[in-house]
Amino acid sequence: MKWIDQAGYALAVRYSGGYAVTKFVDNIDFINPIHIGDLVIIDAEVISCGKTSIMIKVVVTSEKLISKNLAKNCNCTIVFVAVDSLGNKRNLS
């Protein structure tokens, strides 16, 4: 879950042009386990945005390196809020 939040955070900061904080994480669906030795792939995309917030979908996939089989492991939606240096909401850039 830490990697999911970090991937979402990176996209939120990049998209908003400044610091952002996690407001909430919704519907973490664990579909398949990740096994030791699997390559973990984390994709994040902006679903929508408001004046100060960004909704991001995060999908976690794993790949068995030898067989190259892919498995969808987890997905969720996260909302981040853009904040200034004092922690106050700010408009997206």
Side-chain angles (χ1 to χ4, degrees):
M1 287 190 288
K2 178 181 176 182
W3 291 352
I4 291 169
D5 191 52
Q6 289 173 333
Y9 169 78
L11 181 57
V13 168
R14 186 177 206 191
Y15 190 85
S16 72
Y19 191 62
V21 295
T22 306
K23 182 173 182 180
F24 72 88
V25 180
D26 192 25
N27 294 330
I28 298 179
D29 294 322
F30 294 101
I31 303 162
N32 291 299
I34 297 172
H35 299 283
I36 294 172
D38 288 356
L39 175 67
V40 179
I41 304 156
I42 303 173
D43 290 309
E45 71 173 290
V46 174
I47 296 174
S48 65
C49 51
K51 191 173 178 181
T52 62
S53 63
I54 307 164
M55 181 179 288
I56 295 174
K57 179 180 179 181
V58 180
V59 177
V60 179
T61 307
S62 63
E63 178 182 354
K64 301 232 176 276
L65 294 174
I66 295 173
S67 67
K68 299 178 184 165
N69 289 335
L70 293 172
K72 185 174 179 181
N73 305 100
C74 178
N75 62 16
C76 70
T77 304
I78 308 175
V79 173
F80 289 87
V81 175
V83 295
D84 61 20
S85 61
L86 299 174
N88 300 312
K89 289 182 184 180
R90 64 175 177 80
N91 291 335
L92 300 175
S93 298

